[in-house]
């Protein structure tokens, strides 16, 4: 997904160039009462949660991963880093470094916004419906979205793979101006989709690739009509439930379940808390999720291995026809229509990089990544938050890349 930077239009354009690789979903300040581990129920202030630091003493591999993470935290001037690494489902290390807020240590069981991770879950759930012959990826959407321009040409596959040609509202200057000015605003899907519909399509549906948040807003609407089930319930039944993601949930308000990992950002030109900014702009209601780092690692493994899919559906998840699409044309610049290659391409709700299967949300002070390498059965989950001097970009990616270089040196997690 595209990473949204809210400072300037030029920053937004740079975010667009990273569209294949970054995610954008958000939330802010106001409810500091929802914060502290000290307010959570249960022993130790963690409500009896099961996502805890790896018991000491650590073995050699765990020590190396933690040393790499500590150095990355220092190099990137991060406020906090949460991480979990597993191999074949077995824990290598789980830990949290730094602070959630001043004087409040970060803990592995703290919840944060997971953004585009929801899209990986949606892609898997859609493929389950295809397996069951309830829909075809090549069904056009006019029966469910009759008012959408080109609905008779746009298919479920195109919505799920970002090949419709719709503009991305997240990079629209008018949208960004409104978002910067009113970070607590509640957005409706109709308001969000109105921005791309003011523009002509970048290309004819299915003929190229370009990231647009609008695609998943529309896909969620279609899935709810197909199933007759609200998207949060659908994903719980199809994905988070079967994978045992007990602490991954949709939130219809800006609240985050306790204990909370707080976020801070300089997106609006000054360093401020952004934990409880309203995330409704990020996608349709029902798919705005929070999680903890243990669930994030389990999600990486379950989605990245195709655990919930047939072998055929899993192959489609990894390449649903996107490889070879993209590339600049007269009507779509190369910075928008990014070339999709075998080494780096968007799958069906996931990103594939040198065999790694991942999603990487980054928004308003929160950054995260879930990455899985099927050949090594290696899962890496990282979440980071910023200080006032943290560099731009998805810093969780940087931490994960360094860990991957240690544990799978022959298969770089080179996202940028």
């Amino acid at each position: 997904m595209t990473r949204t930077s809210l400072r300037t239009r030029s920053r937004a354009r740079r975010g667009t160039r990273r569209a294949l690789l970054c995610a954008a979903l958000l939330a802010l300040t106001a409810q500091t009462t929802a914060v502290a581990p000290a307010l959570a129920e249960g022993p130790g202030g963690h409500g009896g949660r099961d996502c805890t630091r790896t018991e000491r003493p650590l073995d050699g591999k765990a020590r190396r991963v933690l040393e790499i993470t500590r150095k990355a935290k220092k190099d990137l001037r991060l406020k906090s880093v949460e991480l979990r690494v597993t191999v074949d489902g077995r824990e290598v290390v789980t830990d949290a470094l730094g602070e959630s807020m001043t004087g409040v240590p970060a803990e592995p069981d703290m919840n944060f916004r997971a953004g585009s991770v929801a899209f990986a879950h949606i892609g898997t759930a859609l493929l389950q419906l295809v397996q069951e012959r309830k829909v075809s990826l090549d069904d056009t959407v006019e029966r469910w979205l009759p008012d959408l321009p080109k609905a008779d040409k746009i298919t479920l596959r195109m919505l799920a793979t970002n090949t419709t040609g719709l503009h991305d509202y997240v990079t629209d200057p008018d949208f960004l101006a409104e978002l910067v000015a009113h970070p607590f605003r509640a957005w409706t899907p109709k308001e969000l989709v109105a921005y791309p519909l003011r523009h002509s399509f970048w290309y004819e549906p299915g003929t190229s690739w370009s990231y647009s948040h609008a695609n998943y807003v529309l896909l969620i609407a279609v899935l709810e009509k197909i199933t007759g089930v609200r998207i949060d319930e659908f994903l719980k039944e199809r994905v988070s439930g079967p994978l045992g993601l007990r602490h991954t949930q949709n939130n219809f308000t800006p609240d985050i379940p306790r204990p909370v990992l707080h976020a801070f950002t300089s997106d609006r030109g000054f360093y401020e808390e952004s934990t409880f900014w309203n995330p409704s702009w990020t996608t349709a209601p029902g798919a705005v999720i929070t999680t903890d780092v243990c669930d994030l690692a389990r999600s990486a493994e379950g989605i990245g291995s195709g655990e919930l899919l047939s072998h055929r559906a899993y192959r489609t998840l990894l390449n649903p026809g996107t490889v070879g699409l993209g590339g600049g044309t007269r009507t779509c610049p190369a910075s928008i229509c990014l070339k999709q290659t075998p080494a780096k391409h968007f799958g069906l709700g996931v990103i594939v990089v040198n065999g790694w299967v991942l999603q990487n949300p980054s928004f308003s002070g929160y950054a995260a990544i879930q990455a899985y390498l099927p050949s090594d059965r290696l899962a890496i989950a990282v979440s980071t938050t910023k200080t006032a001097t943290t560099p731009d970009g998805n810093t969780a990616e940087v931490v994960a890349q360094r860990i991957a270089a240690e544990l799978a040196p022959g298969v770089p997690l080179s996202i940028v």
Side-chain angles (χ1 to χ4, degrees):
M1 294 180 62
T2 48
R3 177 177 63 84
T4 305
S5 177
L6 305 179
R7 293 181 186 173
T8 63
R9 292 186 181 185
S10 62
R11 185 70 53 80
R13 294 190 188 101
R14 292 202 299 273
T16 302
R17 295 189 188 103
R18 299 192 63 200
L20 171 62
L21 310 172
C22 300
L25 286 164
L26 101 56
L28 183 156
T29 324
Q31 304 180 22
T32 55
T33 56
V35 304
L39 296 180
E41 297 177 358
H46 300 297
R49 297 287 293 277
D50 55 0
C51 188
T52 59
R53 286 181 173 82
T54 306
E55 291 185 5
R56 270 52 175 178
L58 300 176
D59 65 19
K61 183 182 293 186
R63 286 199 305 273
R64 290 195 300 275
V65 170
L66 200 53
E67 288 168 3
I68 289 166
T69 305
R70 287 197 185 101
K71 186 176 187 307
K73 179 182 179 296
K74 180 179 179 181
D75 292 346
L76 299 169
R77 302 180 296 281
L78 297 170
K79 191 170 188 67
S80 72
V81 182
E82 300 196 335
L83 74 149
R84 181 173 171 87
V85 177
T86 66
V87 175
D88 203 15
R90 295 187 295 272
E91 179 187 65
V92 174
V93 65
T94 303
D95 215 317
L97 310 176
E99 295 182 317
S100 171
M101 298 186 300
T102 301
V104 180
E107 299 289 347
D109 67 351
M110 285 181 167
N111 292 288
F112 50 86
R113 301 199 187 278
S116 59
V117 169
F119 299 168
H121 296 179
I122 289 169
T124 288
L126 172 59
L127 286 170
Q128 290 176 359
L129 294 180
V130 173
Q131 286 178 181
E132 297 161 9
R133 301 183 182 276
K134 293 179 179 177
V135 293
S136 165
L137 286 180
D138 297 317
D139 287 342
T140 54
V141 301
E142 71 269 21
R143 77 185 83 170
W144 303 295
L145 302 174
D147 297 327
L148 178 67
K150 301 183 185 288
D152 61 336
K153 298 180 180 180
I154 293 173
T155 65
L156 295 175
R157 185 192 305 269
M158 294 173 196
L159 288 175
T161 59
N162 289 292
T163 56
T164 63
L166 283 165
H167 281 234
D168 188 3
Y169 61 80
V170 164
T171 58
D172 187 299
D174 292 338
F175 173 80
L176 288 175
E178 178 65 17
L179 188 60
V180 168
H182 304 289
F184 292 99
R185 173 177 170 173
W187 293 83
T188 67
K190 184 176 181 180
E191 290 170 336
L192 297 173
V193 174
Y195 284 93
L197 293 183
R198 297 189 306 182
H199 304 279
S200 59
F201 283 58
W202 285 117
Y203 45 82
E204 281 299 301
T207 63
S208 190
W209 186 94
S210 57
Y211 188 80
S212 174
H213 288 74
N215 288 321
Y216 272 81
V217 173
L218 294 168
L219 179 58
I220 288 166
V222 171
L223 287 173
E224 290 185 330
K225 291 181 178 181
I226 290 171
T227 63
V229 177
R230 218 170 56 187
I231 193 67
D232 59 316
E233 298 173 353
F234 176 62
L235 294 180
K236 183 176 182 179
E237 175 189 350
R238 294 281 182 158
V239 179
S240 61
L243 291 181
L245 307 182
R246 298 194 297 115
H247 307 301
T248 300
Q249 67 178 62
N250 165 73
N251 301 280
F252 284 103
T253 74
D255 194 20
I256 298 176
R258 299 176 186 176
V260 180
L261 181 68
H262 282 239
F264 302 82
T265 185
S266 301
D267 280 352
R268 300 202 302 165
F270 52 92
Y271 187 64
E272 61 184 325
E273 185 175 1
S274 51
T275 310
F276 298 106
W277 283 356
N278 195 313
S280 57
W281 65 271
T282 59
T283 192
V288 182
I289 64 172
T290 56
T291 194
D292 66 21
V293 75
C294 291
D295 270 17
L296 192 65
R298 177 68 181 117
S299 171
E301 177 191 26
I303 298 298
S305 67
E307 180 178 327
L308 303 178
L309 298 173
S310 68
H311 182 64
R312 179 179 181 182
Y314 179 55
R315 291 200 310 269
T316 301
L317 180 84
L318 301 185
N319 180 19
T322 47
V323 172
L325 295 178
T329 67
R330 181 180 58 82
T331 60
C332 186
S335 59
I336 299 294
C337 289
L338 298 177
K339 187 68 175 178
Q340 304 293 288
T341 69
K344 296 182 182 180
H345 61 272
F346 200 91
L348 208 147
V350 299
I351 301 165
V352 180
V353 177
N354 296 328
W356 290 89
V357 185
L358 62 102
Q359 261 295 356
N360 54 348
S362 178
F363 57 98
S364 298
Y366 283 111
I369 184 172
Q370 65 168 48
Y372 185 76
L373 185 60
S375 60
D376 291 19
R377 298 180 180 179
L378 169 63
I380 299 174
V382 178
S383 173
T384 61
T385 59
K386 299 179 179 181
T387 66
T389 61
T390 298
D392 290 335
N394 188 323
T395 52
E397 288 178 5
V398 180
V399 178
Q401 287 166 4
R402 295 187 185 186
I403 294 171
E406 169 68 26
L407 300 183
V411 192
L413 185 56
S414 52
I415 300 170
V416 178

